[in-house]
Structures are given as C-alpha cells and as structure tokens.
Amino acid sequence: MKEKAIPLVYVTTVSSLFIYLNLFTIYGYLLYRDLIDEMISGKFQVIVFMVIVLCLNYILFIKGKRFLNYNFKKDFRGGISIIFYMLFTAIISIWVANLNRAKIFEQRRREPSKEHILRRPSLEGKIREWFKNH
C-alpha cells in the first residue's frame, strides 16, 4: 500500500502541540506543588514558549527527518499507543488544571481581595428604586 506524503509542517505542528501540552502540564503541576514560581503568566509568554518548542522540535527531529530513523511501524499496536498517548495527555492536562483551579479558589476564599471596586449604579437599579419610592 502506497502512503500519501504528509507535509512536514503538519508533523511539526501536531507533535509540537503535544510536546507543549505535556511541558505546560508539568509546569502547572510544579506550580500547584509550589516548587517553582510563576514564570509564564501572559498570552505573549505562552506564544513565545510555544514557538520555542516548535522551533526546537523542528530543528532536532523534523528537519533532518530523524523521526523516520526510529523504525515506527504502521500497525494496530502503534495506532492504539498513539491514541492512548493523546488520551493520557488530555486527561492529565485536565486533572492538573482542576487541581490548580481548586487551589486558586481556596486562596481567594482565604484571602479575599481587599480592594473594593466602586460600581456605578445601573439603569435598571435606578428604575427599580424609582418605582419603590413612588
């Protein structure tokens, strides 16, 4: 059976995405355990980190087609292992995100924000007050 050639751009993008998700999950777990300080906090930093992972993946594995030297065979076992890897990545990422979310809610419950934001009265509130008084 003759296979269609897959563009290297797709291979680089998909493999880099999974590598990034795994690294970001590890980063999130280390934050949860308070083993490291927060280094990635904004959109720009996330995008820069993703581009770095993509470039390293391309240079180290994809550019020289080194990934072809690992003798991956196209069979049922290989397909199942890839599916399990994707599921494992998704489940672990969601689990770590829930751990961090619970930690953030607990911190906010223990230490509520001390700054009070003055809210402008809404039009609906003014109308209700007017009806209440008249």
Side-chain angles (χ1 to χ4, degrees), residues 75-115:
D75 60 352
F76 182 75
R77 186 176 175 194
I80 293 296
S81 63
I82 290 172
I83 290 171
F84 278 137
Y85 170 72
M86 290 177 180
L87 286 174
F88 178 76
T89 297
I91 290 169
I92 295 298
S93 297
I94 292 169
W95 178 65
V96 169
N98 284 333
L99 286 176
N100 280 324
R101 189 175 301 116
K103 180 182 175 183
I104 290 169
F105 285 142
E106 181 62 27
Q107 284 176 347
R108 287 182 183 170
R109 187 186 62 76
R110 277 187 278 125
E111 303 166 10
S113 178
K114 293 179 180 159
E115 60 185 50

Side-chain angles (χ1 to χ4, degrees), residues 23-34 36 96 100:
L23 291 175
F24 202 71
T25 301
I26 293 168
Y27 168 74
Y29 187 73
L30 293 175
L31 278 176
Y32 171 73
R33 291 289 186 180
D34 291 327
I36 60 172
V96 169
N100 280 324

